Amino acid sequence: MSTTPVALRKTPLNGLHRRLGAKMVDFGGWDMPVEYSGLIAEHMAVRTGVGVFDVSHMGDLQLRGPGSLGAVQHISMNDAARLQVGQAQYSAMLYPEGTFVDDIIVHKFSENDYLFVINAGTREKDYEWVRAQARGFDCHVSDYSDYYTQLAIQGPRAQETLQKLTNTDLSKVKFYWFTWGTVCGLPNTLIARTGYTGEDGFEIYIPSDEATSERVWNEVMSAGVEFGIVPCGLGARNTLRLEAALSLYGHEISESINVWEAGLDRFCKLEKGSFLGSAGLQGVLDAGGPARKLVGLEVVERGIARDGYRVMDLSGNSIGGVTSGSPAPFLKKNIALAYVPRSFAEVGTEVAVEIRNCPVKAEVVPLPFYKKPKKG
Amino acid sequence: MAYPTNYRYTREHEWIDVSGKTATVGITDHAQDSLGDIVFVELPKVGDKVEKGKVFGSVESVKAVSDLYSPATGTVTAINEELTTAPEKINADAHAAWIMKIELSDPKEIDSLLTAADYEAYAKEETGH
């Protein structure tokens, strides 16, 4: 038997990444840059200056029609009725059991118009799910994923960088709000103050033709020169989000992990009324709450905890597993997110991570590992 | 970066520099480039017996762990302790940042290892460009 290799999907900036000498990897079927100059330098640029990421692999689903709010409320766990036009919220789509289809960002474009930004690896599944679940609501679902090149400009100098390329006053756009403005001469560009780095920053959505995508990328790079801007790959994106303890689908959240376990309670509004997953989550509460919890671990002995490593108690009994683990370039510690029984979830609890057949001590620490400094 | 012609190489991306019965071992420039920023090196201990083709330690970058395979059989006589605190020296100059020195049990083992030219061709093929 032979298998035909499936062609990797490419973003409109694929050629540019290769010309820049990026190391490319297969990320959920996408040929994406994992690093350019070096993961640590890219990570530090975002924490201290500014970096730009091609995140065009992310999906964009639009729900429009008089029944769109009803559909959004049914399909997602956060309360979209609280959103104002121009505001976004972190949310998730759940199976009836209260486990994850995907995590999403919901943007309210107008009373009858919402945008879900969804993960790359789950695009087709999500689209089918949303279409199926929106049936019965007076609402049309469209997949606009291939219409946009999405750039994330992230870091404490992101605002100053992007401000050079638009007349829109970015200081008026609050965190998790968005607006439309002219960016690099492109009118009606969606500019959202969102990101996945634990840092201030913006995500812009521009037409996905290669020439426009490359032109805007290059203008962003030029605008950021004085702030030390660097192109950043998925490697830095992962370590940045891990320091900020942001969940990654397939790691901290999945179809077999529920909202309470993942600690995403504050984005789940049971009080808004029945929605997909609410009954299952109520059932978990009625049964006494989740048996396991996501915790932050700091490895206190020498060693790096990585995805999939076993977590043990100090007697060597297996109690859980690491979902994401890495050296943290800014914090200069070895950190991990892991699921452990509730009785081990208290901050200060000592556990061990099995690193290459050796138990290495780790301690439960508060999350997030990193919080961006307040602007003074 | 050029591959020293007086070194020999493994398909697992180690180099070995033989001088009589003793040899110095490290990882190649291609290996450090594939790994990215190296943050951790697990060294063997002086006195450890190492065996050709068997794991003697590991290097870790931010993204990945990679085992170290000994190019030859022998006994560890020295380790580069500097790598414990400055593992990035391997990124800076992989062909100088040695990991261990060994006393060879059988210097003839070296003959089966790749030459610089063979290794360079092999590494190119592996990256596909």
Short mmCIF file of all heavy atoms in Angstrom, two decimals, chain A residues 23 34-35 38-41 234-235 238-239 302-304 306 309 325-327 329 334 355-356, chain B residues 32-37 39-43 55 57-58 60-67 84:
data_model
loop_
_atom_site.label_atom_id
_atom_site.label_comp_id
_atom_site.label_asym_id
_atom_site.label_seq_id
_atom_site.Cartn_x
_atom_site.Cartn_y
_atom_site.Cartn_z
N LYS A 23 12.42 28.83 8.85
CA LYS A 23 12.28 27.38 8.93
C LYS A 23 10.80 27.08 8.87
O LYS A 23 10.02 27.63 9.63
CB LYS A 23 12.82 26.89 10.28
CG LYS A 23 14.23 26.40 10.21
CD LYS A 23 14.67 25.95 11.58
CE LYS A 23 16.06 26.48 11.84
NZ LYS A 23 16.40 26.43 13.25
N VAL A 34 8.17 28.40 11.43
CA VAL A 34 8.29 28.14 12.87
C VAL A 34 9.24 29.13 13.51
O VAL A 34 9.05 29.53 14.66
CB VAL A 34 8.68 26.67 13.16
CG1 VAL A 34 10.05 26.33 12.61
CG2 VAL A 34 8.62 26.35 14.64
N GLU A 35 10.26 29.56 12.76
CA GLU A 35 11.12 30.64 13.25
C GLU A 35 11.91 31.25 12.11
O GLU A 35 12.11 30.62 11.08
CB GLU A 35 12.04 30.16 14.37
CG GLU A 35 13.03 29.08 13.97
CD GLU A 35 13.97 28.69 15.13
OE1 GLU A 35 13.50 28.49 16.24
OE2 GLU A 35 15.18 28.59 14.87
N GLY A 38 15.39 33.29 15.08
CA GLY A 38 15.61 32.47 16.27
C GLY A 38 14.47 32.68 17.24
O GLY A 38 14.04 33.81 17.48
N LEU A 39 13.98 31.59 17.80
CA LEU A 39 12.78 31.63 18.62
C LEU A 39 12.92 32.59 19.82
O LEU A 39 12.02 33.37 20.10
CB LEU A 39 12.49 30.21 19.09
CG LEU A 39 11.12 29.91 19.69
CD1 LEU A 39 10.84 28.43 19.65
CD2 LEU A 39 10.96 30.44 21.09
N ILE A 40 14.06 32.51 20.50
CA ILE A 40 14.22 33.33 21.71
C ILE A 40 14.22 34.82 21.36
O ILE A 40 13.54 35.63 22.01
CB ILE A 40 15.47 32.92 22.50
CG1 ILE A 40 15.31 31.48 23.03
CG2 ILE A 40 15.75 33.88 23.65
CD1 ILE A 40 16.54 30.90 23.72
N ALA A 41 14.95 35.18 20.31
CA ALA A 41 15.00 36.60 19.90
C ALA A 41 13.61 37.09 19.50
O ALA A 41 13.21 38.22 19.82
CB ALA A 41 15.98 36.76 18.74
N LEU A 234 5.72 30.43 14.45
CA LEU A 234 4.82 29.72 15.35
C LEU A 234 5.52 29.25 16.62
O LEU A 234 4.87 29.03 17.64
CB LEU A 234 4.22 28.50 14.63
CG LEU A 234 3.27 28.82 13.47
CD1 LEU A 234 2.74 27.52 12.88
CD2 LEU A 234 2.12 29.69 13.93
N GLY A 235 6.85 29.10 16.56
CA GLY A 235 7.59 28.71 17.76
C GLY A 235 7.44 29.75 18.85
O GLY A 235 7.07 29.44 19.99
N ASN A 238 3.95 30.03 20.23
CA ASN A 238 3.63 29.02 21.23
C ASN A 238 4.23 29.36 22.60
O ASN A 238 3.55 29.24 23.62
CB ASN A 238 4.11 27.64 20.77
CG ASN A 238 3.66 26.55 21.73
OD1 ASN A 238 2.47 26.42 22.02
ND2 ASN A 238 4.61 25.81 22.26
N THR A 239 5.48 29.77 22.65
CA THR A 239 6.07 30.07 23.96
C THR A 239 5.45 31.33 24.57
O THR A 239 5.29 31.42 25.79
CB THR A 239 7.61 30.22 23.87
OG1 THR A 239 7.95 31.13 22.82
CG2 THR A 239 8.27 28.87 23.60
N ARG A 302 16.49 20.46 37.72
CA ARG A 302 16.99 20.63 36.36
C ARG A 302 16.21 19.74 35.40
O ARG A 302 16.13 18.52 35.60
CB ARG A 302 18.47 20.26 36.34
CG ARG A 302 19.31 21.05 35.38
CD ARG A 302 20.78 20.70 35.58
NE ARG A 302 21.35 20.03 34.42
CZ ARG A 302 21.80 20.68 33.35
NH1 ARG A 302 21.74 21.99 33.28
NH2 ARG A 302 22.30 20.01 32.33
N GLY A 303 15.66 20.33 34.36
CA GLY A 303 14.92 19.53 33.37
C GLY A 303 13.83 20.35 32.72
O GLY A 303 13.35 21.33 33.29
N ILE A 304 13.44 19.94 31.53
CA ILE A 304 12.41 20.65 30.78
C ILE A 304 11.22 19.72 30.61
O ILE A 304 11.35 18.64 30.03
CB ILE A 304 12.95 21.09 29.40
CG1 ILE A 304 14.15 22.04 29.57
CG2 ILE A 304 11.84 21.75 28.59
CD1 ILE A 304 14.91 22.31 28.28
N ARG A 306 7.84 18.63 28.87
CA ARG A 306 7.31 18.84 27.53
C ARG A 306 5.96 18.17 27.36
O ARG A 306 5.56 17.33 28.16
CB ARG A 306 8.29 18.31 26.49
CG ARG A 306 9.61 19.09 26.51
CD ARG A 306 10.49 18.75 25.33
NE ARG A 306 11.76 19.45 25.41
CZ ARG A 306 12.01 20.66 24.90
NH1 ARG A 306 11.05 21.32 24.27
NH2 ARG A 306 13.19 21.22 25.02
N TYR A 309 4.41 14.58 28.68
CA TYR A 309 5.14 13.96 29.80
C TYR A 309 4.18 13.67 30.95
O TYR A 309 3.22 14.39 31.19
CB TYR A 309 6.28 14.87 30.29
CG TYR A 309 7.50 14.92 29.39
CD1 TYR A 309 7.49 14.37 28.11
CD2 TYR A 309 8.67 15.54 29.82
CE1 TYR A 309 8.61 14.42 27.30
CE2 TYR A 309 9.80 15.60 29.02
CZ TYR A 309 9.77 15.03 27.75
OH TYR A 309 10.88 15.10 26.95
N GLY A 325 4.56 22.12 27.55
CA GLY A 325 5.69 22.39 28.43
C GLY A 325 6.86 22.88 27.60
O GLY A 325 7.06 22.42 26.49
N SER A 326 7.59 23.82 28.17
CA SER A 326 8.69 24.44 27.40
C SER A 326 9.54 25.29 28.32
O SER A 326 9.07 25.73 29.36
CB SER A 326 8.08 25.33 26.30
OG SER A 326 9.05 26.10 25.66
N PRO A 327 10.76 25.58 27.90
CA PRO A 327 11.47 26.67 28.56
C PRO A 327 10.72 27.97 28.24
O PRO A 327 10.22 28.12 27.13
CB PRO A 327 12.85 26.67 27.89
CG PRO A 327 12.92 25.43 27.08
CD PRO A 327 11.52 24.99 26.80
N PRO A 329 11.16 31.69 27.53
CA PRO A 329 12.29 32.56 27.20
C PRO A 329 12.33 33.87 27.99
O PRO A 329 13.41 34.35 28.34
CB PRO A 329 12.11 32.83 25.71
CG PRO A 329 11.37 31.64 25.20
CD PRO A 329 10.43 31.27 26.33
N ASN A 334 11.53 26.85 33.46
CA ASN A 334 10.91 25.77 32.69
C ASN A 334 9.50 25.59 33.22
O ASN A 334 9.31 25.25 34.39
CB ASN A 334 11.74 24.49 32.82
CG ASN A 334 13.10 24.66 32.16
OD1 ASN A 334 13.19 25.25 31.08
ND2 ASN A 334 14.15 24.20 32.81
N ILE A 355 10.71 13.07 33.33
CA ILE A 355 11.49 13.56 32.19
C ILE A 355 12.50 12.49 31.82
O ILE A 355 13.43 12.23 32.57
CB ILE A 355 12.18 14.90 32.53
CG1 ILE A 355 11.12 15.96 32.89
CG2 ILE A 355 13.04 15.36 31.36
CD1 ILE A 355 11.68 17.30 33.32
N ARG A 356 12.28 11.84 30.70
CA ARG A 356 13.18 10.80 30.23
C ARG A 356 13.46 9.78 31.34
O ARG A 356 14.60 9.54 31.73
CB ARG A 356 14.47 11.43 29.71
CG ARG A 356 14.18 12.40 28.55
CD ARG A 356 15.26 13.42 28.36
NE ARG A 356 16.44 12.85 27.74
CZ ARG A 356 16.54 12.53 26.46
NH1 ARG A 356 15.50 12.73 25.66
NH2 ARG A 356 17.64 12.05 25.98
N GLN B 32 22.70 21.88 15.02
CA GLN B 32 22.34 23.05 15.85
C GLN B 32 21.37 23.95 15.09
O GLN B 32 20.45 24.52 15.67
CB GLN B 32 23.57 23.82 16.34
CG GLN B 32 24.38 24.63 15.33
CD GLN B 32 23.73 25.94 14.91
OE1 GLN B 32 22.89 26.49 15.62
NE2 GLN B 32 24.09 26.43 13.74
N ASP B 33 21.54 24.05 13.77
CA ASP B 33 20.65 24.90 12.99
C ASP B 33 19.23 24.31 12.96
O ASP B 33 18.26 25.05 13.07
CB ASP B 33 21.20 25.05 11.57
CG ASP B 33 20.38 26.03 10.75
OD1 ASP B 33 20.30 27.21 11.16
OD2 ASP B 33 19.78 25.61 9.74
N SER B 34 19.13 22.99 12.84
CA SER B 34 17.80 22.37 12.83
C SER B 34 17.11 22.51 14.18
O SER B 34 15.91 22.71 14.26
CB SER B 34 17.88 20.88 12.51
OG SER B 34 18.68 20.66 11.40
N LEU B 35 17.90 22.39 15.25
CA LEU B 35 17.31 22.46 16.60
C LEU B 35 16.85 23.86 16.96
O LEU B 35 15.86 24.04 17.64
CB LEU B 35 18.33 22.00 17.64
CG LEU B 35 18.46 20.49 17.83
CD1 LEU B 35 19.76 20.18 18.56
CD2 LEU B 35 17.27 19.94 18.59
N GLY B 36 17.60 24.87 16.53
CA GLY B 36 17.32 26.24 16.98
C GLY B 36 18.01 26.49 18.30
O GLY B 36 18.93 25.76 18.70
N ASP B 37 17.56 27.53 19.01
CA ASP B 37 18.22 27.97 20.25
C ASP B 37 18.35 26.84 21.26
O ASP B 37 17.35 26.37 21.81
CB ASP B 37 17.41 29.10 20.90
CG ASP B 37 17.39 30.36 20.04
OD1 ASP B 37 18.43 30.66 19.42
OD2 ASP B 37 16.34 31.03 19.99
N VAL B 39 19.06 25.24 24.77
CA VAL B 39 18.90 25.77 26.14
C VAL B 39 19.32 24.76 27.21
O VAL B 39 19.32 25.10 28.40
CB VAL B 39 17.43 26.19 26.40
CG1 VAL B 39 17.06 27.38 25.54
CG2 VAL B 39 16.47 25.04 26.14
N PHE B 40 19.67 23.55 26.81
CA PHE B 40 19.91 22.52 27.81
C PHE B 40 20.76 21.42 27.18
O PHE B 40 20.47 20.96 26.09
CB PHE B 40 18.56 21.95 28.26
CG PHE B 40 18.61 21.07 29.47
CD1 PHE B 40 18.44 21.60 30.74
CD2 PHE B 40 18.79 19.69 29.34
CE1 PHE B 40 18.46 20.78 31.86
CE2 PHE B 40 18.81 18.87 30.46
CZ PHE B 40 18.65 19.42 31.73
N VAL B 41 21.81 21.03 27.89
CA VAL B 41 22.62 19.90 27.43
C VAL B 41 22.74 18.92 28.59
O VAL B 41 23.14 19.30 29.70
CB VAL B 41 24.03 20.35 26.98
CG1 VAL B 41 24.82 19.15 26.46
CG2 VAL B 41 23.94 21.43 25.92
N GLU B 42 22.36 17.68 28.35
CA GLU B 42 22.53 16.63 29.35
C GLU B 42 23.82 15.90 29.01
O GLU B 42 23.92 15.21 28.00
CB GLU B 42 21.33 15.67 29.30
CG GLU B 42 21.29 14.71 30.47
CD GLU B 42 20.30 13.58 30.23
OE1 GLU B 42 19.45 13.68 29.32
OE2 GLU B 42 20.40 12.59 30.96
N LEU B 43 24.83 16.11 29.87
CA LEU B 43 26.17 15.57 29.61
C LEU B 43 26.31 14.19 30.24
O LEU B 43 25.65 13.88 31.24
CB LEU B 43 27.21 16.51 30.23
CG LEU B 43 27.28 17.92 29.65
CD1 LEU B 43 28.06 18.83 30.60
CD2 LEU B 43 27.93 17.92 28.27
N VAL B 55 22.89 6.05 22.85
CA VAL B 55 22.65 7.37 23.42
C VAL B 55 23.60 7.65 24.59
O VAL B 55 23.77 6.79 25.46
CB VAL B 55 21.18 7.49 23.89
CG1 VAL B 55 20.95 8.81 24.62
CG2 VAL B 55 20.23 7.36 22.70
N GLY B 57 23.64 11.12 25.89
CA GLY B 57 23.17 12.38 26.49
C GLY B 57 22.11 12.97 25.58
O GLY B 57 21.57 12.28 24.71
N SER B 58 21.79 14.25 25.81
CA SER B 58 20.79 14.89 24.96
C SER B 58 21.04 16.39 24.90
O SER B 58 21.71 16.96 25.77
CB SER B 58 19.38 14.63 25.50
OG SER B 58 19.24 15.18 26.79
N GLU B 60 18.71 19.99 24.18
CA GLU B 60 17.34 20.47 24.03
C GLU B 60 17.35 21.90 23.57
O GLU B 60 18.08 22.74 24.09
CB GLU B 60 16.59 20.36 25.37
CG GLU B 60 16.53 18.93 25.89
CD GLU B 60 15.45 18.73 26.93
OE1 GLU B 60 14.37 19.33 26.81
OE2 GLU B 60 15.70 17.95 27.88
N SER B 61 16.51 22.17 22.58
CA SER B 61 16.27 23.56 22.19
C SER B 61 14.95 23.96 22.85
O SER B 61 14.34 23.17 23.57
CB SER B 61 16.18 23.67 20.67
OG SER B 61 15.04 22.98 20.21
N VAL B 62 14.51 25.18 22.60
CA VAL B 62 13.22 25.58 23.15
C VAL B 62 12.14 24.62 22.68
O VAL B 62 11.29 24.19 23.44
CB VAL B 62 12.86 27.04 22.75
CG1 VAL B 62 11.51 27.42 23.33
CG2 VAL B 62 13.93 28.01 23.21
N LYS B 63 12.23 24.24 21.39
CA LYS B 63 11.17 23.44 20.77
C LYS B 63 11.28 21.94 20.99
O LYS B 63 10.29 21.25 20.98
CB LYS B 63 11.16 23.67 19.25
CG LYS B 63 10.79 25.02 18.82
CD LYS B 63 9.38 25.26 18.35
CE LYS B 63 8.42 24.16 18.10
NZ LYS B 63 7.07 24.53 18.52
N ALA B 64 12.52 21.41 21.07
CA ALA B 64 12.64 19.96 20.93
C ALA B 64 13.79 19.36 21.72
O ALA B 64 14.73 20.04 22.10
CB ALA B 64 12.81 19.62 19.46
N VAL B 65 13.68 18.05 21.97
CA VAL B 65 14.73 17.26 22.60
C VAL B 65 15.39 16.42 21.52
O VAL B 65 14.70 15.87 20.68
CB VAL B 65 14.17 16.27 23.62
CG1 VAL B 65 15.29 15.66 24.45
CG2 VAL B 65 13.13 16.89 24.49
N SER B 66 16.69 16.30 21.57
CA SER B 66 17.37 15.44 20.61
C SER B 66 18.41 14.61 21.34
O SER B 66 19.23 15.14 22.09
CB SER B 66 18.01 16.33 19.55
OG SER B 66 18.55 15.53 18.54
N ASP B 67 18.35 13.29 21.13
CA ASP B 67 19.34 12.41 21.76
C ASP B 67 20.70 12.58 21.10
O ASP B 67 20.80 12.91 19.92
CB ASP B 67 18.90 10.95 21.62
CG ASP B 67 17.82 10.58 22.62
OD1 ASP B 67 17.85 11.13 23.75
OD2 ASP B 67 16.95 9.75 22.29
N THR B 84 26.79 23.49 30.53
CA THR B 84 25.73 23.47 31.54
C THR B 84 25.15 24.86 31.75
O THR B 84 23.95 25.04 31.88
CB THR B 84 26.29 22.93 32.88
OG1 THR B 84 26.94 21.69 32.60
CG2 THR B 84 25.19 22.71 33.89
#
